[in-house]
Amino acid sequence: ITGYRVTNRVVAKIRKIGDVGVTIEAVATAGGDLTRVDSVSFTIDDPTPFNAQARELAVADAQAKAEQLAVASGVTLGQPTFISLSSPFVAPAFDMRGMGVAAMAESQAAPPPISPGETEVRASVQVVYAIK
């Protein structure tokens, strides 16, 4: 055996956006040239109320579209007979894959800038209505 390779993965949750760049810089300094940051991602601690709102809006949108189609077709919209929900969560990520963090930190005088953005919560419903 001529050598070993060890990989260790650490996930850190940082709640203050202003601390992210400083934390990355500290990791780079402590870990050296072989340190890698796979990605920085943003999430919502408790998405429950946002998911509920997205579902309500999706159902209202589906009903409005169904009513428009019913009027255009000359039929009356009945009760829903089938409802299906899909709620993909889309979180934006600041991708730093493959970058040597120590080299990145050395090339910049300040910590890497991390800008806050938006996190999108989506809900998609399929509703089948009876028609009269």
Side-chain angles (χ1 to χ4, degrees), residues 25 30 39 46 57 60 63 72 80 93-94 117 127:
E25 183 180 35
S39 66
D46 182 12
L57 292 171
Q63 184 174 358
F94 179 80
V127 183

Side-chain angles (χ1 to χ4, degrees), residues 13 40-52 54-55 85-93 118-124:
K13 183 180 275 193
V40 175
S41 61
F42 300 93
T43 61
I44 300 170
D45 274 342
D46 182 12
T48 305
F50 303 107
N51 288 334
R55 287 189 298 267
L85 170 68
S86 172
S87 298
F89 178 77
V90 181
E118 294 181 354
T119 298
E120 196 172 287
V121 177
R122 296 183 186 181
S124 177

Side-chain angles (χ1 to χ4, degrees), residues 27-126:
V27 167
T29 301
D33 286 337
L34 297 178
T35 302
R36 299 281 185 248
V37 174
D38 287 333
S39 66
V40 175
S41 61
F42 300 93
T43 61
I44 300 170
D45 274 342
D46 182 12
T48 305
F50 303 107
N51 288 334
Q53 182 182 15
R55 287 189 298 267
E56 287 176 16
L57 292 171
V59 169
D61 185 54
Q63 184 174 358
K65 289 177 181 175
E67 287 172 354
Q68 181 186 26
L69 291 172
V71 169
S73 302
V75 296
T76 304
L77 198 60
Q79 293 295 315
T81 60
F82 174 82
I83 300 174
S84 174
L85 170 68
S86 172
S87 298
F89 178 77
V90 181
F94 179 80
D95 192 2
M96 297 170 52
R97 246 175 267 145
M99 298 177 79
V101 178
M104 180 181 65
E106 287 175 11
S107 70
Q108 299 177 3
I114 305 294
S115 300
E118 294 181 354
T119 298
E120 196 172 287
V121 177
R122 296 183 186 181
S124 177
V125 295
Q126 177 185 10

Side-chain angles (χ1 to χ4, degrees), residues 9-15 19-20 23-24 27 39-43:
R9 178 173 289 253
V10 176
V11 176
K13 183 180 275 193
I14 303 165
R15 297 190 186 281
D19 292 345
V20 176
T23 303
I24 291 172
V27 167
S39 66
V40 175
S41 61
F42 300 93
T43 61

